Amino acid sequence: MLHRLDLHGIRHSEVDRIVENFILLNEPPMRIITGNSDRMIELVIQVLDRHNISYERFKPGQITILK
């Protein structure tokens, strides 16, 4: 089952907490829908890097965590 988190409509100030909870409470594979906002993508990647989680960007506006 692919767990999905859609960040459309989420304030940038809330992204860190929401993404951290999502990645810690779910098992891969996971997909985070960021949209095309460079700032949103940057914020998500900061959380993933902080937790040493590898990710792929197969499609624009999405970050996929496979393992």
Side-chain angles (χ1 to χ4, degrees):
M1 178 177 165
L2 179 68
H3 299 282
R4 294 178 50 150
L5 173 64
D6 190 340
L7 296 174
H8 285 100
I10 302 299
R11 295 176 190 265
H12 288 160
S13 62
E14 299 173 340
V15 170
D16 191 279
R17 178 185 51 81
I18 291 171
V19 171
E20 187 169 65
N21 285 340
F22 177 72
I23 62 173
L24 294 177
L25 295 174
N26 292 289
E27 294 290 325
M30 295 180 269
R31 178 166 295 141
I32 301 172
I33 311 299
T34 60
N36 294 322
S37 165
D38 290 337
R39 181 68 178 139
M40 186 70 78
I41 293 166
E42 180 183 308
L43 291 169
V44 171
I45 289 173
Q46 285 176 4
V47 176
L48 298 177
D49 287 347
R50 186 170 67 234
H51 289 279
N52 296 314
I53 293 176
S54 58
Y55 57 89
E56 299 288 337
R57 294 180 63 193
F58 298 115
K59 295 181 180 179
Q62 297 182 10
I63 296 174
T64 303
I65 301 160
L66 298 173
K67 54 183 177 170

